[in-house]
C-alpha cells in the first residue's frame, strides 16, 4: 500500500497544551508521525511517497478564507505584537450568549479583532490547540498529504494512506479546534466529489466526534458522514456528536452519529462499525474517506474505550470488504507505545481483506 508522508509535519512542534486552565505536556506531538512511519517501514508492506503541493484552492473549497489567512499570519503577528510566548492559545473565545438580542444586522457587523489573542479566539474553539511557529507549514502539508492520497486512488490504487499530521476532523469551515487546523478529510472528500461527480462517504473512527467534518457537510446530500465516538455528554467536543444530529436540508439523513459508552470493547465497537458500514453500503459511490484514529485504544490517555489491537485488524478488514476504494487519513491516537503497531494492524487488515474487486470510479 502506498503511504503518503513528509517530514514537514515536524514544523508543528508544540511542547504544552492548556487543559482545564493549566499547562500540561502536549499530546499531539511530532513523535506520533515518526512512530507510525517507523512501523510502516518495519512492516515492509508499505511504499512511502512524498506529498505533492496542491495550493490553496482545495482548502478554500471547504474553509473560510479568513481561517486560512489567520493561520498563515498568526505566528508573524505573535512576534510583531511581542507576545513573548512559545505558543498561541486564545484568551477569549466568542460564546454565542455574548450576542443574545443582537439583530441580524448587528450580528453581521461583528468582526475579527486585530489583537492576536482575540483573533485566535475568533478562529478557535478550545485551549488545547496551541499554534506554534511552524503550525501553518505543517498544516498545509497535512492537506497536501491527504490530497496526494486522493490522487493515488483517483489514479487507480484500491487504497492509499495519508499520514496526516496535524489531524483535521475537528476543524470546521471557519474554526480550528482539537489539534486540527485544516480539515484534511473534508478537503479530500470535496476534491473527490469535484473530480468524480460521485457521492462520497466519510467514515470517522477516531475516538472523538468529527464535529468539523459534520459541520462542513451538514447541509450536503452528496457527502455522507458516519462517526463512531465517545458520547459528547462526557467528552470533547462536548457540544456536537449526538445521535439525533442527522443533517438538515439536502443533507437530512446524510449524517450518522454513533456515540458509545465508556469502556466500549471490541465487540461493541465492531457492532457499531457494522451499522456505519451498512449505511455507507446503502449510499452510492465508489470511494470512502476514512478518518482513522487510535485514541480508541484501551491504553490511550484521551479515550475511555477498551479496544485491543485485534479490533483494528478486524475493523480494517470490514471496511475494505465494502469493496470501495479507500482514502485513509490519520487523525488522533496518543498512546505512543502502541500507535505504530495499531496503525499497521488496521492498514494490513484492510490490505489483506478478502474483498470484492475495488469499484470502478464512476460506475456506481
Ligand atoms: C484529533 C483529536 O483526537 N483531537 C482530540 C482533541 C481533544 N482535546 C481535548 C484535550 C483534553 C486533554 N486532556 C484529557 C485528559 C483525559 N483524562
Ligand atoms: Zn481523537
Amino acid at each position: 500500500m502506498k503511504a503518503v508522508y513528509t517530514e514537514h509535519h515536524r514544523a508543528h512542534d508544540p511542547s504544552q497544551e492548556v487543559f482545564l486552565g493549566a499547562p500540561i505536556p502536549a499530546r499531539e506531538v511530532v513523535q506520533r508521525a515518526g512512530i507510525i512511519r517507523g512501523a510502516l517501514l518495519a512492516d515492509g508492506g508499505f511504499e512511502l511517497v512524498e506529498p505533492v503541493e496542491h495550493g490553496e484552492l482545495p482548502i478554500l473549497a471547504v474553509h473560510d478564507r479568513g481561517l486560512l489567512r489567520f493561520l498563515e499570519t498568526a505566528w508573524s503577528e505573535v512576534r510583531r505584537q511581542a507576545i513573548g510566548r512559545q505558543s498561541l492559545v486564545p484568551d477569549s473565545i466568542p460564546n454565542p450568549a455574548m450576542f443574545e438580542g443582537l439583530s441580524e444586522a448587528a450580528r453581521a457587523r461583528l468582526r475579527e479583532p486585530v489583537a492576536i489573542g482575540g483573533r485566535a479566539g475568533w478562529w478557535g474553539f478550545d485551549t488545547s490547540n496551541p499554534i506554534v511557529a511552524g503550525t501553518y507549514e505543517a498544516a498545509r502539508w497535512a492537506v497536501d498529504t491527504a490530497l496526494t492520497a486522493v490522487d493515488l486512488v483517483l489514479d487507480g490504487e484500491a487504497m492509499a494512506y495519508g499520514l496526516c499530521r496535524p489531524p483535521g476532523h475537528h476543524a470546521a469551515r471557519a474554526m480550528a479546534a482539537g489539534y486540527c487546523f485544516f480539515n484534511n478529510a473534508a478537503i479530500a472528500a470535496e476534491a473527490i466529489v469535484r473530480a468524480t461527480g460521485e457521492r462520497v462517504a466519510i467514515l470517522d473512527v477516531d475516538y472523538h466526534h468529527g464535529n468539523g467534518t459534520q459541520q462542513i457537510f451538514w447541509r450536503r446530500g452528496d457527502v455522507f458522514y458516519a462517526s463512531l465516538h465517545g458520547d459528547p455528554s462526557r467528552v470533547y467536543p462536548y457540544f456536537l456528536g449526538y445521535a439525533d444530529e442527522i443533517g438538515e436540508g439536502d443533507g437530512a439523513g446524510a449524517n450518522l452519529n454513533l456515540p458509545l459508552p465508556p469502556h466500549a470493547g471490541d465487540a461493541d465497537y465492531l457492532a457499531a462499525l457494522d451499522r456505519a458500514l451498512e449505511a455507507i453500503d446503502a449510499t452510492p459511490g465508489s470511494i470512502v474517506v476514512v478518518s482513522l484514529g487510535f485514541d480508541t485504544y484501551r491504553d490511550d490517555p484521551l479515550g475511555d474505550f477498551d479496544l485491543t489491537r485485534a479490533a483494528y485488524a478486524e475493523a480494517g478488514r470490514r471496511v475494505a470488504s465494502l469493496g470501495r476504494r479507500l482514502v485513509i487519513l490519520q487523525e488522533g491516537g496518543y498512546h505512543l507505545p502502541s500507535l505504530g503497531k495499531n496503525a499497521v494492524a488496521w492498514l494490513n487488515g484492510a490490505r489483506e481483506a478478502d474483498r470484492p474487486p475495488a469499484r470502478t470510479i464512476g460506475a456506481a
Side-chain angles (χ1 to χ4, degrees):
M1 188 187 313
K2 289 187 175 163
V4 190
Y5 173 83
T6 169
E7 294 284 326
H8 284 288
H9 77 87
R10 292 174 178 278
H12 179 59
D13 187 13
S15 54
Q16 294 190 321
E17 61 182 70
V18 177
F19 178 57
L20 297 177
I24 62 169
R27 293 288 192 193
E28 203 293 282
V29 291
V30 166
Q31 265 181 294
R32 294 182 58 249
I35 286 168
I36 297 176
R37 173 181 175 273
L40 298 178
L41 291 175
D43 180 78
F46 299 87
E47 181 192 342
L48 261 59
V49 304
E50 289 283 326
V52 173
E53 287 187 74
H54 285 68
E56 291 183 352
L57 285 179
I59 299 176
L60 294 172
V62 310
H63 285 295
D64 191 299
R65 184 180 296 274
L67 174 65
L68 178 76
R69 292 290 165 248
F70 164 68
L71 293 169
E72 182 184 30
T73 58
W75 199 255
S76 57
E77 276 297 295
V78 167
R79 277 207 292 267
R80 203 182 62 78
Q81 295 183 20
I83 307 297
R85 288 278 195 282
Q86 293 208 339
S87 71
L88 173 64
V89 170
D91 119 305
S92 301
I93 299 167
N95 180 322
M98 186 176 193
F99 311 116
E100 277 178 19
L102 292 191
S103 64
E104 280 304 311
R107 276 173 199 267
R109 284 195 299 273
L110 295 172
R111 72 212 80 178
E112 180 181 0
V114 173
I116 193 65
R119 289 183 75 197
W122 183 262
W123 298 110
F125 169 67
D126 59 285
T127 67
S128 299
N129 196 24
I131 291 172
V132 297
T135 297
Y136 180 69
E137 177 189 344
R140 282 295 301 268
W141 280 104
V143 171
D144 289 323
T145 296
L147 290 169
T148 301
V150 169
D151 292 340
L152 289 168
V153 165
L154 293 179
D155 290 345
E157 296 288 337
M159 56 187 71
Y161 172 61
L163 211 181
C164 297
R165 183 180 172 272
H169 74 152
H170 294 303
R173 185 189 69 85
M175 180 182 90
Y179 314 148
C180 304
F181 302 93
F182 298 122
N183 193 317
N184 308 310
I187 293 166
E190 178 66 15
I192 295 165
V193 167
R194 291 186 184 207
T196 66
E198 288 185 359
R199 289 169 71 172
V200 175
I202 302 175
L203 172 67
D204 189 329
V205 293
D206 184 273
Y207 170 78
H208 301 93
H209 176 244
N211 59 283
T213 314
Q214 170 173 300
Q215 183 275 319
I216 287 166
F217 298 114
W218 184 248
R219 289 180 176 274
R220 297 260 306 259
D222 53 348
V223 178
F224 182 84
Y225 178 70
S227 177
L228 279 59
H229 48 264
D231 194 309
S233 64
R234 70 174 190 283
V235 289
Y236 185 93
Y238 303 114
F239 313 119
L240 288 174
Y242 291 95
D244 57 8
E245 297 159 16
I246 61 165
E248 293 183 82
D250 289 345
N255 195 89
L256 175 65
N257 284 333
L258 298 166
L260 296 168
H263 302 294
D266 291 358
D268 311 301
Y269 186 83
L270 290 168
L273 178 67
D274 282 344
R275 285 187 60 193
L277 294 177
E278 276 168 36
I280 290 171
D281 197 42
T283 351
S286 60
I287 305 177
V288 177
V289 175
V290 181
S291 272
L292 183 60
F294 296 104
D295 32 12
T296 49
Y297 192 59
R298 60 179 182 194
D299 295 328
D300 192 273
L302 265 58
D304 61 6
F305 291 171
D306 294 341
L307 297 205
T308 70
R309 188 156 306 137
Y312 297 127
E314 179 60 18
R317 194 188 68 72
R318 291 189 192 187
V319 173
S321 297
L322 280 170
R324 300 193 185 201
R325 294 174 195 274
L326 303 179
V327 174
I328 306 160
L329 304 177
Q330 190 60 47
E331 301 281 359
Y334 308 98
H335 182 251
L336 301 181
S338 69
L339 190 53
K341 292 190 189 91
N342 287 344
V344 165
W346 202 102
L347 295 169
N348 277 340
R351 189 155 58 94
E352 293 159 6
D354 181 19
R355 62 178 186 278
R359 267 191 208 185
T360 307
I361 296 162

